[in-house]
Each structure stands twice: as C-alpha cells, then as structure tokens.
Amino acid sequence: MRIVGGVDDELRTWLIGGDPSIAWQVERDLLDLPGSTWSATQRRIASEGWGERFLAERSPNGTWANGLYGPKWKSTTYTLLQLWRRGLARDHPEAVASTGLLLDKPVWQFGVGRDEGVAGFGLALSSWFTIDDDRRDDLVTSILENQLDDGGWNCRTPRTGSTHSSFHTTINVVEGLREYAISGGRHAEDTETAEQRAMEFFAAHRLYRSHRSDRIPDERMMRMPFPPRWHHDVLRGLDWFRSAHAPQDERLEDPVGVVMGHRRKNGRWPLHANYSGKDWFRMESGRSPSRWNTLRALRVLRWWDGTTY
C-alpha cells in the first residue's frame, strides 16, 4: 500500500474527495503538496460546496440572519467563524466587509464590561479577513491586559473576583492570538509570551482536568463535535498547540490518548453530536465517519510524534 505524507491511498482519496475546505488542508497539512496545488484547491471554497452555500445566505446589508452575534449558530459572527475555519480567502471582499461590521459595533462589549471569548472571535476574524487598523491592535492590547495570573482568561471582564480561567474562554482567545501573530500584527511579539503562558495553563490541566483533583469538570470536553462553536474540547486544544508549533509536552499524552480512543477500526474518526442551535445546513452526518475530525486528528498526531496512521 502506497503511503503519501503518512496517509494511505484509500484514506487520501476519501479525504480529498470531500469539500474543498477540507481537501486543501489535507493537501497542505498531511500530504505536503506544493503551495500552488493546495492554494488552487483553497480558491474553490468561495464558488463550490459549503463555502458557496454560506456566502449565498449573506444579506445585502452584510449580515447573516440579520444579527451580529445572535441567533446562534446562524448569525454573522458564527457564519464568519465557519468561513474562517474553512479557509475562505483572507481578502474575500464580502467576508472582509462583514468582519468590519463586528469591529464597527463590537459584539463582545456589553455596557462597561465585555466577553473575552467573543473578543477572541473578533481578533481571529479580523486577523484572518485582513482588517489591518488600530481597532484590531487595540483589541489585542486589551485582551493581553486581561490575561489572568494562571495564564488563561475568563469570560467576563472587568473581573468579578474570579482568579481561575475558563477552558472555553481561553481557547477562543488563544486561537485569536494565533491568527493575529500569523497575520503579522504590530503587537505580535507580545502575543508570544501570552501564548506560552496559556500553553502552561492548558498543559497543567491536561486540556480537560482539574489541576488539583484530576477531576473532569465537564466530560463533554472529551467529545469531538465540529464546528466547536464557543466550546473547548481536547481535539480543538491539541490542534491549537499544533498550529503554534509547540514542543511536545508529556502532560498532553492524556488528551492525545483520548483522541486516539475515538479512532475507529477503519482509521477514521466519528463526528460527535454538536451543541443545540440552528444551523444553515448540516455538513456531515454523525452516522458516517467525519472527514473534518479525521483531518484534524491526523494532523495533531503527526505533530505529536510523527507517527503515520
């Protein structure tokens, strides 16, 4: 059996036979194909498959479902998050314009406070969809100022006496910091230290456990739904470590084992039930193996120890 980039012919054919938003990431992250190849596949997202369907739901006023943050999961914020995770072109004019609406009227602000996790969404989207102005830099500065002593973030600031961070909030923030750093933001050097502190926070908790009692506060974090919405889970956390090119940490052997435990005999991963809410459409059925989760699990395992599966 021929192996390409750690993926056998049968699995390779199945993965790249899916939507372009999956296929281009398979070509880049698993098959090591040239940029000219995977970028050509990536360009198809706007005119084919799921990307085209999401874009078709955009209203003339630049919103989705006539809301910036609600309703979940069809609003402008959550639909743009779908397009970001699929890899729609950074300079796609409609996505850039709609992201600008989120900065014009920040959905993470509420009175004198704000939601740090949603601010992380704003940072990720404005970094990917090329909003390069002071508003994005001001956003990252305030996010860095609100990092807690344990290395993570909590959802609501100003702080109300809480000293322990939230898994959910922190993963949303660090994904935004990662995109900001990749985009070459002016404060990218400052985000590196913040990411290192967040890595220690997650590693100390092995991504889903109490650092004191070893208890699992929410067993749903061991599941693998996709898209993750605003929720943290072990695969999402490991994929962030991978994207940050983090060194191997033995404390992450536990969550890697959780991911491996979900692998089916055919070498593919399932899709676990997602969180309740209204979707534009269903991309994958839980009854069939998931290309999304198989892609994400394989690239995490490749980062973890270079093992081929």
Side-chain angles (χ1 to χ4, degrees), residues 157-192:
T157 53
R159 304 172 193 174
T160 56
S162 175
T163 59
H164 195 279
S165 297
S166 158
F167 290 118
H168 303 300
T169 302
T170 302
I171 192 64
N172 293 324
V173 169
V174 295
E175 286 181 346
L177 293 176
R178 182 94 300 265
E179 288 297 349
Y180 181 84
I182 291 171
S183 71
R186 279 178 282 182
H187 302 303
E189 290 186 5
D190 297 329
T191 66
E192 182 177 350

PDB file of all heavy atoms in Angstrom, residues 157-192:
ATOM      1  N   THR A 157     -15.154  40.463  31.771  1.00  0.00           N
ATOM      2  CA  THR A 157     -14.303  41.465  32.389  1.00  0.00           C
ATOM      3  C   THR A 157     -15.078  42.787  32.399  1.00  0.00           C
ATOM      4  O   THR A 157     -15.921  43.023  31.532  1.00  0.00           O
ATOM      5  CB  THR A 157     -12.985  41.651  31.603  1.00  0.00           C
ATOM      6  OG1 THR A 157     -13.270  41.909  30.230  1.00  0.00           O
ATOM      7  CG2 THR A 157     -12.125  40.395  31.695  1.00  0.00           C
ATOM      8  N   PRO A 158     -14.858  43.701  33.373  1.00  0.00           N
ATOM      9  CA  PRO A 158     -13.821  43.561  34.395  1.00  0.00           C
ATOM     10  C   PRO A 158     -14.066  42.381  35.323  1.00  0.00           C
ATOM     11  O   PRO A 158     -15.184  41.901  35.431  1.00  0.00           O
ATOM     12  CB  PRO A 158     -13.899  44.886  35.158  1.00  0.00           C
ATOM     13  CG  PRO A 158     -15.290  45.366  34.935  1.00  0.00           C
ATOM     14  CD  PRO A 158     -15.655  44.925  33.550  1.00  0.00           C
ATOM     15  N   ARG A 159     -12.996  41.914  35.950  1.00  0.00           N
ATOM     16  CA  ARG A 159     -13.070  40.727  36.776  1.00  0.00           C
ATOM     17  C   ARG A 159     -14.005  40.937  37.963  1.00  0.00           C
ATOM     18  O   ARG A 159     -14.093  42.012  38.529  1.00  0.00           O
ATOM     19  CB  ARG A 159     -11.679  40.341  37.281  1.00  0.00           C
ATOM     20  CG  ARG A 159     -10.669  40.150  36.160  1.00  0.00           C
ATOM     21  CD  ARG A 159      -9.267  39.959  36.719  1.00  0.00           C
ATOM     22  NE  ARG A 159      -8.266  40.087  35.661  1.00  0.00           N
ATOM     23  CZ  ARG A 159      -6.959  40.077  35.879  1.00  0.00           C
ATOM     24  NH1 ARG A 159      -6.513  39.982  37.115  1.00  0.00           N
ATOM     25  NH2 ARG A 159      -6.114  40.187  34.884  1.00  0.00           N
ATOM     26  N   THR A 160     -14.667  39.861  38.335  1.00  0.00           N
ATOM     27  CA  THR A 160     -15.598  39.933  39.472  1.00  0.00           C
ATOM     28  C   THR A 160     -15.104  39.034  40.591  1.00  0.00           C
ATOM     29  O   THR A 160     -15.860  38.308  41.219  1.00  0.00           O
ATOM     30  CB  THR A 160     -17.003  39.491  39.027  1.00  0.00           C
ATOM     31  OG1 THR A 160     -16.906  38.164  38.458  1.00  0.00           O
ATOM     32  CG2 THR A 160     -17.580  40.442  38.008  1.00  0.00           C
ATOM     33  N   GLY A 161     -13.804  39.052  40.834  1.00  0.00           N
ATOM     34  CA  GLY A 161     -13.241  38.249  41.902  1.00  0.00           C
ATOM     35  C   GLY A 161     -12.729  36.899  41.461  1.00  0.00           C
ATOM     36  O   GLY A 161     -12.098  36.181  42.243  1.00  0.00           O
ATOM     37  N   SER A 162     -12.978  36.517  40.214  1.00  0.00           N
ATOM     38  CA  SER A 162     -12.527  35.219  39.725  1.00  0.00           C
ATOM     39  C   SER A 162     -11.020  35.237  39.483  1.00  0.00           C
ATOM     40  O   SER A 162     -10.475  36.190  38.945  1.00  0.00           O
ATOM     41  CB  SER A 162     -13.245  34.866  38.422  1.00  0.00           C
ATOM     42  OG  SER A 162     -12.733  33.671  37.887  1.00  0.00           O
ATOM     43  N   THR A 163     -10.353  34.166  39.920  1.00  0.00           N
ATOM     44  CA  THR A 163      -8.903  34.062  39.715  1.00  0.00           C
ATOM     45  C   THR A 163      -8.539  32.855  38.866  1.00  0.00           C
ATOM     46  O   THR A 163      -7.368  32.657  38.559  1.00  0.00           O
ATOM     47  CB  THR A 163      -8.172  33.949  41.068  1.00  0.00           C
ATOM     48  OG1 THR A 163      -8.657  32.797  41.773  1.00  0.00           O
ATOM     49  CG2 THR A 163      -8.393  35.198  41.904  1.00  0.00           C
ATOM     50  N   HIS A 164      -9.528  32.032  38.504  1.00  0.00           N
ATOM     51  CA  HIS A 164      -9.261  30.831  37.717  1.00  0.00           C
ATOM     52  C   HIS A 164      -9.894  30.978  36.344  1.00  0.00           C
ATOM     53  O   HIS A 164     -11.039  31.397  36.209  1.00  0.00           O
ATOM     54  CB  HIS A 164      -9.801  29.587  38.415  1.00  0.00           C
ATOM     55  CG  HIS A 164      -9.251  28.314  37.842  1.00  0.00           C
ATOM     56  ND1 HIS A 164      -9.749  27.732  36.703  1.00  0.00           N
ATOM     57  CD2 HIS A 164      -8.217  27.528  38.242  1.00  0.00           C
ATOM     58  CE1 HIS A 164      -9.066  26.636  36.420  1.00  0.00           C
ATOM     59  NE2 HIS A 164      -8.119  26.489  37.348  1.00  0.00           N
ATOM     60  N   SER A 165      -9.140  30.602  35.344  1.00  0.00           N
ATOM     61  CA  SER A 165      -9.575  30.813  33.962  1.00  0.00           C
ATOM     62  C   SER A 165     -10.551  29.744  33.491  1.00  0.00           C
ATOM     63  O   SER A 165     -10.672  28.663  34.073  1.00  0.00           O
ATOM     64  CB  SER A 165      -8.355  30.832  33.042  1.00  0.00           C
ATOM     65  OG  SER A 165      -7.501  31.903  33.365  1.00  0.00           O
ATOM     66  N   SER A 166     -11.212  30.056  32.417  1.00  0.00           N
ATOM     67  CA  SER A 166     -12.172  29.164  31.768  1.00  0.00           C
ATOM     68  C   SER A 166     -11.508  28.482  30.581  1.00  0.00           C
ATOM     69  O   SER A 166     -10.860  29.134  29.765  1.00  0.00           O
ATOM     70  CB  SER A 166     -13.390  29.971  31.298  1.00  0.00           C
ATOM     71  OG  SER A 166     -14.085  29.304  30.267  1.00  0.00           O
ATOM     72  N   PHE A 167     -11.691  27.150  30.460  1.00  0.00           N
ATOM     73  CA  PHE A 167     -11.197  26.435  29.286  1.00  0.00           C
ATOM     74  C   PHE A 167     -11.806  27.037  28.015  1.00  0.00           C
ATOM     75  O   PHE A 167     -11.114  27.254  27.019  1.00  0.00           O
ATOM     76  CB  PHE A 167     -11.583  24.954  29.355  1.00  0.00           C
ATOM     77  CG  PHE A 167     -10.871  24.157  30.408  1.00  0.00           C
ATOM     78  CD1 PHE A 167     -11.579  23.553  31.435  1.00  0.00           C
ATOM     79  CD2 PHE A 167      -9.496  23.980  30.367  1.00  0.00           C
ATOM     80  CE1 PHE A 167     -10.937  22.794  32.403  1.00  0.00           C
ATOM     81  CE2 PHE A 167      -8.836  23.226  31.329  1.00  0.00           C
ATOM     82  CZ  PHE A 167      -9.562  22.639  32.353  1.00  0.00           C
ATOM     83  N   HIS A 168     -13.116  27.257  28.049  1.00  0.00           N
ATOM     84  CA  HIS A 168     -13.828  27.716  26.850  1.00  0.00           C
ATOM     85  C   HIS A 168     -13.348  29.101  26.412  1.00  0.00           C
ATOM     86  O   HIS A 168     -13.046  29.327  25.237  1.00  0.00           O
ATOM     87  CB  HIS A 168     -15.336  27.745  27.115  1.00  0.00           C
ATOM     88  CG  HIS A 168     -15.903  26.437  27.550  1.00  0.00           C
ATOM     89  ND1 HIS A 168     -15.835  25.298  26.792  1.00  0.00           N
ATOM     90  CD2 HIS A 168     -16.564  26.087  28.691  1.00  0.00           C
ATOM     91  CE1 HIS A 168     -16.429  24.287  27.429  1.00  0.00           C
ATOM     92  NE2 HIS A 168     -16.874  24.750  28.585  1.00  0.00           N
ATOM     93  N   THR A 169     -13.306  30.021  27.356  1.00  0.00           N
ATOM     94  CA  THR A 169     -12.860  31.373  27.017  1.00  0.00           C
ATOM     95  C   THR A 169     -11.427  31.365  26.503  1.00  0.00           C
ATOM     96  O   THR A 169     -11.100  32.005  25.498  1.00  0.00           O
ATOM     97  CB  THR A 169     -12.962  32.295  28.241  1.00  0.00           C
ATOM     98  OG1 THR A 169     -14.305  32.305  28.712  1.00  0.00           O
ATOM     99  CG2 THR A 169     -12.540  33.709  27.886  1.00  0.00           C
ATOM    100  N   THR A 170     -10.571  30.622  27.183  1.00  0.00           N
ATOM    101  CA  THR A 170      -9.152  30.646  26.836  1.00  0.00           C
ATOM    102  C   THR A 170      -8.894  30.112  25.434  1.00  0.00           C
ATOM    103  O   THR A 170      -8.094  30.686  24.683  1.00  0.00           O
ATOM    104  CB  THR A 170      -8.339  29.857  27.880  1.00  0.00           C
ATOM    105  OG1 THR A 170      -8.558  30.431  29.174  1.00  0.00           O
ATOM    106  CG2 THR A 170      -6.853  29.898  27.557  1.00  0.00           C
ATOM    107  N   ILE A 171      -9.563  29.026  25.029  1.00  0.00           N
ATOM    108  CA  ILE A 171      -9.304  28.500  23.687  1.00  0.00           C
ATOM    109  C   ILE A 171      -9.762  29.490  22.618  1.00  0.00           C
ATOM    110  O   ILE A 171      -9.101  29.660  21.586  1.00  0.00           O
ATOM    111  CB  ILE A 171      -9.976  27.121  23.480  1.00  0.00           C
ATOM    112  CG1 ILE A 171      -9.444  26.454  22.198  1.00  0.00           C
ATOM    113  CG2 ILE A 171     -11.482  27.225  23.447  1.00  0.00           C
ATOM    114  CD1 ILE A 171      -7.981  26.121  22.200  1.00  0.00           C
ATOM    115  N   ASN A 172     -10.859  30.207  22.871  1.00  0.00           N
ATOM    116  CA  ASN A 172     -11.304  31.206  21.898  1.00  0.00           C
ATOM    117  C   ASN A 172     -10.310  32.355  21.791  1.00  0.00           C
ATOM    118  O   ASN A 172     -10.049  32.863  20.698  1.00  0.00           O
ATOM    119  CB  ASN A 172     -12.685  31.746  22.289  1.00  0.00           C
ATOM    120  CG  ASN A 172     -13.765  30.691  22.179  1.00  0.00           C
ATOM    121  OD1 ASN A 172     -13.739  29.856  21.288  1.00  0.00           O
ATOM    122  ND2 ASN A 172     -14.727  30.730  23.091  1.00  0.00           N
ATOM    123  N   VAL A 173      -9.743  32.757  22.923  1.00  0.00           N
ATOM    124  CA  VAL A 173      -8.776  33.849  22.914  1.00  0.00           C
ATOM    125  C   VAL A 173      -7.482  33.435  22.224  1.00  0.00           C
ATOM    126  O   VAL A 173      -6.952  34.160  21.366  1.00  0.00           O
ATOM    127  CB  VAL A 173      -8.488  34.337  24.346  1.00  0.00           C
ATOM    128  CG1 VAL A 173      -7.290  35.296  24.356  1.00  0.00           C
ATOM    129  CG2 VAL A 173      -9.711  35.035  24.931  1.00  0.00           C
ATOM    130  N   VAL A 174      -6.945  32.259  22.570  1.00  0.00           N
ATOM    131  CA  VAL A 174      -5.639  31.891  22.018  1.00  0.00           C
ATOM    132  C   VAL A 174      -5.706  31.607  20.519  1.00  0.00           C
ATOM    133  O   VAL A 174      -4.730  31.838  19.801  1.00  0.00           O
ATOM    134  CB  VAL A 174      -5.004  30.710  22.775  1.00  0.00           C
ATOM    135  CG1 VAL A 174      -4.684  31.111  24.198  1.00  0.00           C
ATOM    136  CG2 VAL A 174      -5.857  29.455  22.715  1.00  0.00           C
ATOM    137  N   GLU A 175      -6.830  31.134  20.033  1.00  0.00           N
ATOM    138  CA  GLU A 175      -6.967  30.982  18.582  1.00  0.00           C
ATOM    139  C   GLU A 175      -6.912  32.347  17.905  1.00  0.00           C
ATOM    140  O   GLU A 175      -6.328  32.494  16.827  1.00  0.00           O
ATOM    141  CB  GLU A 175      -8.263  30.260  18.241  1.00  0.00           C
ATOM    142  CG  GLU A 175      -8.226  28.775  18.540  1.00  0.00           C
ATOM    143  CD  GLU A 175      -9.506  28.055  18.179  1.00  0.00           C
ATOM    144  OE1 GLU A 175     -10.534  28.736  17.937  1.00  0.00           O
ATOM    145  OE2 GLU A 175      -9.499  26.808  18.127  1.00  0.00           O
ATOM    146  N   GLY A 176      -7.512  33.355  18.554  1.00  0.00           N
ATOM    147  CA  GLY A 176      -7.417  34.705  18.014  1.00  0.00           C
ATOM    148  C   GLY A 176      -6.004  35.241  18.057  1.00  0.00           C
ATOM    149  O   GLY A 176      -5.526  35.857  17.095  1.00  0.00           O
ATOM    150  N   LEU A 177      -5.288  35.006  19.159  1.00  0.00           N
ATOM    151  CA  LEU A 177      -3.895  35.446  19.261  1.00  0.00           C
ATOM    152  C   LEU A 177      -3.028  34.773  18.198  1.00  0.00           C
ATOM    153  O   LEU A 177      -2.123  35.397  17.633  1.00  0.00           O
ATOM    154  CB  LEU A 177      -3.340  35.134  20.651  1.00  0.00           C
ATOM    155  CG  LEU A 177      -3.942  35.904  21.830  1.00  0.00           C
ATOM    156  CD1 LEU A 177      -3.341  35.411  23.144  1.00  0.00           C
ATOM    157  CD2 LEU A 177      -3.724  37.407  21.681  1.00  0.00           C
ATOM    158  N   ARG A 178      -3.301  33.497  17.925  1.00  0.00           N
ATOM    159  CA  ARG A 178      -2.512  32.776  16.920  1.00  0.00           C
ATOM    160  C   ARG A 178      -2.700  33.406  15.547  1.00  0.00           C
ATOM    161  O   ARG A 178      -1.749  33.631  14.796  1.00  0.00           O
ATOM    162  CB  ARG A 178      -2.941  31.302  16.902  1.00  0.00           C
ATOM    163  CG  ARG A 178      -2.141  30.456  15.919  1.00  0.00           C
ATOM    164  CD  ARG A 178      -0.967  29.790  16.589  1.00  0.00           C
ATOM    165  NE  ARG A 178       0.002  30.687  17.191  1.00  0.00           N
ATOM    166  CZ  ARG A 178       1.120  31.107  16.583  1.00  0.00           C
ATOM    167  NH1 ARG A 178       1.397  30.739  15.348  1.00  0.00           N
ATOM    168  NH2 ARG A 178       1.964  31.889  17.215  1.00  0.00           N
ATOM    169  N   GLU A 179      -3.948  33.712  15.195  1.00  0.00           N
ATOM    170  CA  GLU A 179      -4.204  34.329  13.890  1.00  0.00           C
ATOM    171  C   GLU A 179      -3.578  35.724  13.808  1.00  0.00           C
ATOM    172  O   GLU A 179      -3.068  36.125  12.770  1.00  0.00           O
ATOM    173  CB  GLU A 179      -5.705  34.405  13.601  1.00  0.00           C
ATOM    174  CG  GLU A 179      -6.362  33.069  13.279  1.00  0.00           C
ATOM    175  CD  GLU A 179      -5.814  32.418  12.014  1.00  0.00           C
ATOM    176  OE1 GLU A 179      -5.064  33.073  11.249  1.00  0.00           O
ATOM    177  OE2 GLU A 179      -6.130  31.244  11.791  1.00  0.00           O
ATOM    178  N   TYR A 180      -3.635  36.438  14.918  1.00  0.00           N
ATOM    179  CA  TYR A 180      -3.023  37.767  14.939  1.00  0.00           C
ATOM    180  C   TYR A 180      -1.524  37.672  14.697  1.00  0.00           C
ATOM    181  O   TYR A 180      -0.950  38.441  13.922  1.00  0.00           O
ATOM    182  CB  TYR A 180      -3.304  38.435  16.283  1.00  0.00           C
ATOM    183  CG  TYR A 180      -2.742  39.834  16.423  1.00  0.00           C
ATOM    184  CD1 TYR A 180      -3.438  40.938  15.939  1.00  0.00           C
ATOM    185  CD2 TYR A 180      -1.511  40.049  17.044  1.00  0.00           C
ATOM    186  CE1 TYR A 180      -2.920  42.225  16.069  1.00  0.00           C
ATOM    187  CE2 TYR A 180      -0.987  41.323  17.177  1.00  0.00           C
ATOM    188  CZ  TYR A 180      -1.697  42.413  16.684  1.00  0.00           C
ATOM    189  OH  TYR A 180      -1.173  43.680  16.807  1.00  0.00           O
ATOM    190  N   ALA A 181      -0.873  36.715  15.342  1.00  0.00           N
ATOM    191  CA  ALA A 181       0.569  36.545  15.170  1.00  0.00           C
ATOM    192  C   ALA A 181       0.895  36.151  13.733  1.00  0.00           C
ATOM    193  O   ALA A 181       1.836  36.680  13.122  1.00  0.00           O
ATOM    194  CB  ALA A 181       1.093  35.495  16.141  1.00  0.00           C
ATOM    195  N   ILE A 182       0.119  35.232  13.169  1.00  0.00           N
ATOM    196  CA  ILE A 182       0.359  34.782  11.795  1.00  0.00           C
ATOM    197  C   ILE A 182       0.186  35.932  10.813  1.00  0.00           C
ATOM    198  O   ILE A 182       0.915  36.045   9.823  1.00  0.00           O
ATOM    199  CB  ILE A 182      -0.589  33.622  11.439  1.00  0.00           C
ATOM    200  CG1 ILE A 182      -0.213  32.375  12.250  1.00  0.00           C
ATOM    201  CG2 ILE A 182      -0.544  33.308   9.948  1.00  0.00           C
ATOM    202  CD1 ILE A 182      -1.212  31.247  12.138  1.00  0.00           C
ATOM    203  N   SER A 183      -0.763  36.815  11.107  1.00  0.00           N
ATOM    204  CA  SER A 183      -1.044  37.926  10.189  1.00  0.00           C
ATOM    205  C   SER A 183      -0.002  39.038  10.279  1.00  0.00           C
ATOM    206  O   SER A 183      -0.046  39.994   9.504  1.00  0.00           O
ATOM    207  CB  SER A 183      -2.432  38.508  10.483  1.00  0.00           C
ATOM    208  OG  SER A 183      -2.435  39.215  11.718  1.00  0.00           O
ATOM    209  N   GLY A 184       0.924  38.933  11.233  1.00  0.00           N
ATOM    210  CA  GLY A 184       1.963  39.951  11.358  1.00  0.00           C
ATOM    211  C   GLY A 184       1.507  41.220  12.038  1.00  0.00           C
ATOM    212  O   GLY A 184       2.013  42.309  11.740  1.00  0.00           O
ATOM    213  N   GLY A 185       0.560  41.098  12.982  1.00  0.00           N
ATOM    214  CA  GLY A 185       0.089  42.266  13.716  1.00  0.00           C
ATOM    215  C   GLY A 185       1.212  42.983  14.437  1.00  0.00           C
ATOM    216  O   GLY A 185       2.228  42.375  14.804  1.00  0.00           O
ATOM    217  N   ARG A 186       1.039  44.260  14.671  1.00  0.00           N
ATOM    218  CA  ARG A 186       2.108  45.084  15.231  1.00  0.00           C
ATOM    219  C   ARG A 186       2.538  44.653  16.629  1.00  0.00           C
ATOM    220  O   ARG A 186       3.661  44.914  17.058  1.00  0.00           O
ATOM    221  CB  ARG A 186       1.674  46.549  15.254  1.00  0.00           C
ATOM    222  CG  ARG A 186       1.832  47.245  13.904  1.00  0.00           C
ATOM    223  CD  ARG A 186       1.337  48.667  13.962  1.00  0.00           C
ATOM    224  NE  ARG A 186      -0.124  48.727  13.897  1.00  0.00           N
ATOM    225  CZ  ARG A 186      -0.818  49.861  13.882  1.00  0.00           C
ATOM    226  NH1 ARG A 186      -0.183  51.021  13.964  1.00  0.00           N
ATOM    227  NH2 ARG A 186      -2.127  49.848  13.794  1.00  0.00           N
ATOM    228  N   HIS A 187       1.643  43.977  17.354  1.00  0.00           N
ATOM    229  CA  HIS A 187       1.971  43.540  18.713  1.00  0.00           C
ATOM    230  C   HIS A 187       2.209  42.031  18.762  1.00  0.00           C
ATOM    231  O   HIS A 187       2.035  41.413  19.818  1.00  0.00           O
ATOM    232  CB  HIS A 187       0.856  43.932  19.680  1.00  0.00           C
ATOM    233  CG  HIS A 187       0.575  45.405  19.700  1.00  0.00           C
ATOM    234  ND1 HIS A 187       1.547  46.341  19.991  1.00  0.00           N
ATOM    235  CD2 HIS A 187      -0.561  46.099  19.441  1.00  0.00           C
ATOM    236  CE1 HIS A 187       1.004  47.556  19.932  1.00  0.00           C
ATOM    237  NE2 HIS A 187      -0.261  47.437  19.592  1.00  0.00           N
ATOM    238  N   ALA A 188       2.604  41.460  17.636  1.00  0.00           N
ATOM    239  CA  ALA A 188       2.752  40.004  17.558  1.00  0.00           C
ATOM    240  C   ALA A 188       3.778  39.482  18.562  1.00  0.00           C
ATOM    241  O   ALA A 188       3.615  38.382  19.110  1.00  0.00           O
ATOM    242  CB  ALA A 188       3.130  39.583  16.140  1.00  0.00           C
ATOM    243  N   GLU A 189       4.854  40.241  18.812  1.00  0.00           N
ATOM    244  CA  GLU A 189       5.861  39.776  19.772  1.00  0.00           C
ATOM    245  C   GLU A 189       5.270  39.655  21.174  1.00  0.00           C
ATOM    246  O   GLU A 189       5.632  38.753  21.935  1.00  0.00           O
ATOM    247  CB  GLU A 189       7.051  40.725  19.776  1.00  0.00           C
ATOM    248  CG  GLU A 189       7.899  40.668  18.501  1.00  0.00           C
ATOM    249  CD  GLU A 189       9.149  41.524  18.612  1.00  0.00           C
ATOM    250  OE1 GLU A 189       9.387  42.069  19.712  1.00  0.00           O
ATOM    251  OE2 GLU A 189       9.870  41.652  17.603  1.00  0.00           O
ATOM    252  N   ASP A 190       4.357  40.553  21.514  1.00  0.00           N
ATOM    253  CA  ASP A 190       3.732  40.494  22.838  1.00  0.00           C
ATOM    254  C   ASP A 190       2.829  39.279  22.978  1.00  0.00           C
ATOM    255  O   ASP A 190       2.671  38.738  24.082  1.00  0.00           O
ATOM    256  CB  ASP A 190       2.924  41.766  23.099  1.00  0.00           C
ATOM    257  CG  ASP A 190       3.792  43.012  23.118  1.00  0.00           C
ATOM    258  OD1 ASP A 190       4.960  42.900  23.519  1.00  0.00           O
ATOM    259  OD2 ASP A 190       3.301  44.084  22.724  1.00  0.00           O
ATOM    260  N   THR A 191       2.221  38.845  21.877  1.00  0.00           N
ATOM    261  CA  THR A 191       1.314  37.708  21.958  1.00  0.00           C
ATOM    262  C   THR A 191       2.068  36.407  22.207  1.00  0.00           C
ATOM    263  O   THR A 191       1.489  35.456  22.736  1.00  0.00           O
ATOM    264  CB  THR A 191       0.475  37.566  20.679  1.00  0.00           C
ATOM    265  OG1 THR A 191       1.317  37.230  19.567  1.00  0.00           O
ATOM    266  CG2 THR A 191      -0.279  38.858  20.374  1.00  0.00           C
ATOM    267  N   GLU A 192       3.334  36.345  21.842  1.00  0.00           N
ATOM    268  CA  GLU A 192       4.097  35.108  22.024  1.00  0.00           C
ATOM    269  C   GLU A 192       4.189  34.729  23.494  1.00  0.00           C
ATOM    270  O   GLU A 192       3.982  33.571  23.873  1.00  0.00           O
ATOM    271  CB  GLU A 192       5.498  35.258  21.433  1.00  0.00           C
ATOM    272  CG  GLU A 192       6.331  33.993  21.532  1.00  0.00           C
ATOM    273  CD  GLU A 192       7.690  34.130  20.878  1.00  0.00           C
ATOM    274  OE1 GLU A 192       7.925  35.151  20.181  1.00  0.00           O
ATOM    275  OE2 GLU A 192       8.524  33.220  21.062  1.00  0.00           O
TER     276      GLU A 192
END
